[in-house]
């Protein structure tokens, strides 16, 4: 028999959940307790200058615990899921080499799954002519075609993000196979504990609405205006999620008032959260924590039990 410690996978703690559920604060608290470092799993926080609308952790919070994969590229650049996967794995492995505990924290399901399940991501290169044809069509038309070709992707994708819808369609049309079925998995790199934060739906919506109000008070509109002044297009802003999309549309005169924009943004955020939760609910590995109880206490107990198992195996 060989030495069994050679096959023990490194431990990765994952904190996930819907918007405004409290992931960042919990991640920092756990990192402080378990000598950890945080790898962000957020598809928008990789962009520099998009701080308020993405609820990026503050510099003061980053001083408490090392954070990775924040402010990686400029908003004009496109940062792919494949790029994230490679960067996240490199960051996690570096944390492990330092003898610290990695925590993957975020709410972007595709980003999380590429690491946890070690996806083989389709490597279909961009098709400029096909993209131009798709970009000329209405978003509703694109979504209808995606629902026909790949219902699974259509149900999980950000349906108001034309760039992602076009990319999923592009892969389907070029390969003749659903995008969702092309993400094979390699052998998992880590033994993962997936912790989700759960709130009653009505209370979660209240938290989302409060966060939107806070972001506007913190200067979300000014943040969008600054990006436009730097040359970022309204079309590019649409790709950065609901907050940027709705403020951009308001600045273009698409709403009768700021109040209408805010209310429509809140409703759209509720809808996005419902789909986010539906995606997470399919993963039966997730241990759900009660957001109304002591989150840190619940999570600490779960992590201690998880890490204890590895220590027991390594001593065999």
């Amino acid at each position: 028999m060989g030495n069994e410690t050679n096959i023990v996978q490194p431990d990765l703690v994952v904190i996930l959940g819907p918007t405004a559920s409290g992931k960042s604060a919990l991640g920092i608290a756990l990192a402080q307790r378990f000598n950890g470092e945080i790898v962000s799993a957020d598809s928008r926080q990789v962009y520099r200058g998009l701080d308020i609308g993405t609820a990026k952790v503050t510099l003061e919070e980053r001083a408490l615990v090392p954070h990775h994969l924040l402010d990686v590229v400029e908003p004009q650049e496109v940062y792919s899921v494949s790029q994230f996967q490679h960067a996240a794995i490199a960051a996690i492995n570096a944390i492990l080499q330092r003898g610290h505990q990695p925590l993957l924290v975020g709410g972007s399901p595709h980003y999380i799954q590429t690491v946890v399940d070690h996806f083989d991501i389709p490597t279909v290169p961009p098709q400029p002519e096909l993209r131009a044809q798709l970009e000329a069509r209405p978003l509703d038309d694109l979504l209808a075609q995606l629902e026909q070709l790949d219902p699974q992707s259509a149900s999980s994708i950000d349906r108001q993000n034309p760039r992602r819808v076009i990319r999923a369609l592009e892969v389907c049309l070029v390969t003749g196979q659903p995008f969702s079925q092309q993400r094979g998995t390699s052998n998992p790199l880590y033994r993962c504990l997936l912790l989700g934060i759960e709130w009653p739906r009505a209370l979660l919506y209240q938290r989302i609405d409060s966060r939107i109000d806070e972001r506007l008070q913190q200067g979300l509109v000014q943040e969008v205006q600054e990006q436009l002044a730097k040359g970022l297009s309204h079309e590019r802003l649409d790709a950065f999620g609901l907050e940027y999309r709705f403020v951009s549309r308001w600045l273009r005169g698409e709403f009768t008032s700021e109040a209408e924009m805010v209310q429509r943004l809140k409703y759209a955020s509720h809808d996005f959260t419902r789909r986010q939760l539906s995606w997470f609910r399919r993963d039966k590995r997730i241990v759900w924590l009660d957001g109304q109880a002591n989150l840190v206490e619940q999570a600490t107990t779960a992590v201690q039990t998880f890490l204890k198992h590895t220590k027991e195996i390594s001593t065999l």
Side-chain angles (χ1 to χ4, degrees), residues 141-267:
D141 186 27
L142 298 175
L143 283 167
Q145 186 176 10
L146 185 61
E147 286 171 352
Q148 185 178 24
L149 295 175
D150 188 358
Q152 185 176 338
S153 286
S155 68
S156 62
I157 206 165
D158 179 355
R159 296 171 65 88
Q160 295 189 54
N161 189 329
R163 183 172 64 84
R164 294 201 177 168
V165 175
I166 287 171
R167 175 57 180 167
L169 265 179
E170 182 180 49
V171 174
C172 290
L173 293 169
V174 170
T175 64
Q177 298 177 350
F179 180 51
S180 59
Q181 293 180 14
Q182 296 184 54
R183 297 172 306 182
T185 56
S186 301
N187 291 327
L189 299 175
Y190 314 109
R191 192 176 75 95
C192 298
L193 172 65
L194 277 61
L195 298 177
I197 304 175
E198 186 173 43
W199 292 88
R201 193 65 60 90
L203 192 53
L204 180 60
Y205 289 166
Q206 288 177 20
R207 290 172 62 87
I208 291 169
D209 292 351
S210 295
R211 172 176 279 187
I212 289 171
D213 291 335
E214 286 174 13
R215 290 179 181 179
L216 289 163
Q217 291 167 6
Q218 290 167 355
L220 175 59
V221 174
Q222 290 84 350
E223 185 169 84
V224 172
Q225 290 172 326
E226 286 172 8
Q227 292 301 326
L228 290 168
K230 292 177 181 177
L232 205 65
S233 69
H234 285 285
E235 290 72 24
R236 181 64 180 142
L237 279 165
D238 281 351
F240 293 130
L242 294 170
E243 296 85 357
Y244 296 100
R245 189 175 306 148
F246 275 74
V247 171
S248 170
R249 289 172 58 189
W250 176 57
L251 292 174
R252 281 179 278 177
E254 291 190 26
F255 300 104
T256 57
S257 65
E258 183 178 2
E260 183 199 356
M261 179 272 288
V262 172
Q263 192 58 61
R264 294 274 295 276
L265 170 57
K266 289 177 178 178
Y267 288 152

Side-chain angles (χ1 to χ4, degrees), residues 3 17 81 88 107 112 119 130 158 175 190 222 238 266 268 291-292 300 312 316:
N3 186 348
V81 176
I112 293 167
F119 275 158
L130 176 58
D158 179 355
T175 64
Y190 314 109
Q222 290 84 350
D238 281 351
K266 289 177 178 178
Q292 296 184 91
T300 297
E312 290 174 347
L316 291 176

